[in-house]
Amino acid sequence: MSTESRAGRPRASSQATLADAACELFLEKGYEATSIAEIASRAGVSRSSFFNYFASKSDILWAGLDQRLAVFDAAIAVGAGTDDVAAAVRGIADGFAPDSLALAIVHASAMGLVAELDREASVRRARIARAVAARLRDAGADRLTADVAGAAWGGAVVAAIEAWALDGAGRTSLERFLSRAADTAARTAPVPGVGAVRQLRLVVQAADFDRTLAFYRDVLGMPQAEAFEADGGARVVILEAGRATLELADAAQVAFIDEVETDGGVSDRVRVALEVDDTAAVAQRLESAGAMVEASARITPWRSLNARLRGAADLQLTLFQELGPES
């Protein structure tokens, strides 16, 4: 390939010219052996001019995607649910013509880029994962759930771009690959929408603080998220409780629930319902820790196994286990 200067090319095309020159040199010499000065010389611009367009050598490959990821970050930052995140993923394809990244993926071995692409791809996966995980935590997800879901979406985007490049970026649609990846991620890790309320927190005054804390944290199994102390021995502990919702019911509905869930029991004005994996086992564990059983476990018409107890701090509890449809 020619090594002559391309100084005659218009300034407006210098970014594309630098990318073309870099890819030529990567194929000729390998990525590691190619310097920024050589890329600038091949493109016909000064070394200092290189940095007007790219922050580093690797930026030549990733700048186009990074610009679209900035748009993606902004798109999912405000109340985005699964459909919005999937739309933002598909939006990455907008105006994304085959570029140096696609060429590098196809010719990674010849360019000596395998390790470099793996390293930089992991950075983009992590960036997407952080953005999606932050959205999930805003929606009330615990950190583990949010991080795992974020990793699924980050992996989906990078995998789609790699598959698009290897399938022939100039012949096929990136949006098609991103749509397929988004569909897979949506099934694996759905993203709930966020309204004006970011978190539901139930505040309970506990006369016997230590017993109440042990009951809900250690016996029931609600992980401790935060703890604070103030002057005069004031204490507060915040426990994780999975997804939070507010169920509003009129008097007729409450009476119906009492009929289904108990043998003549009456609901408190505020009753705390907790979804668990095994209602009977958790109810037995809580009873052993001092809870009073108000209604033993029974199957409801909507296929959940419910039990009602009086827990620590005088909270009326409903434990429910979703059974799914009858087989």
Side-chain angles (χ1 to χ4, degrees), residues 63-298:
L65 177 59
D66 287 343
Q67 290 170 2
R68 286 158 180 82
L69 291 184
V71 176
F72 171 84
D73 292 345
I76 71 165
V78 184
T82 296
D83 290 345
D84 303 298
V85 174
V89 166
R90 289 191 294 272
I92 292 171
D94 291 346
F96 201 147
D99 64 358
S100 51
L101 176 59
L103 186 66
I105 291 170
V106 173
H107 299 288
S109 295
M111 290 182 172
L113 272 168
V114 174
E116 173 70 16
L117 288 177
D118 285 346
R119 182 168 55 250
E120 292 295 327
S122 70
V123 172
R124 276 71 191 179
R125 276 192 294 267
R127 175 178 178 172
I128 297 164
R130 283 194 301 271
V132 175
R135 269 286 302 104
L136 283 165
R137 287 194 293 273
D138 283 346
D142 63 88
R143 181 172 293 276
L144 177 60
T145 299
D147 288 349
V148 170
W153 283 90
V157 171
V158 173
I161 292 170
E162 291 175 348
W164 166 68
L166 293 170
D167 197 55
R171 302 193 309 270
T172 188
S173 165
L174 174 58
E175 184 176 2
R176 180 168 66 88
F177 282 91
L178 287 170
S179 292
R180 288 174 56 196
D183 289 344
T184 301
R187 291 193 297 271
T188 305
V191 181
V194 174
V197 176
R198 293 289 180 174
Q199 180 182 166
L200 174 64
R201 182 173 294 178
L202 180 66
V203 181
V204 177
Q205 181 175 322
D208 189 340
F209 186 87
D210 289 322
R211 176 180 175 273
T212 302
L213 176 59
F215 181 89
Y216 291 105
R217 182 189 63 192
D218 304 330
V219 181
L220 182 54
M222 299 171 70
Q224 181 171 316
E226 296 178 278
F228 306 97
E229 295 186 8
D231 294 341
R235 297 169 62 194
V236 61
V237 172
I238 299 170
L239 303 179
E240 297 281 5
R243 188 169 68 98
T245 59
L246 179 62
E247 180 177 321
L248 303 176
D250 63 12
Q253 175 66 16
V254 171
F256 174 64
I257 296 297
D258 287 342
E259 181 182 344
V260 167
E261 197 170 275
T262 73
D263 300 311
V266 178
S267 289
D268 289 357
R269 187 165 179 272
V270 176
R271 177 169 47 86
V272 180
L274 302 168
E275 183 179 0
V276 296
D277 291 331
D278 188 334
T279 292
V282 175
Q284 184 177 29
R285 197 164 70 237
L286 296 184
E287 184 181 13
S288 298
M292 182 180 72
V293 177
E294 295 187 348
S296 57
R298 63 201 64 196

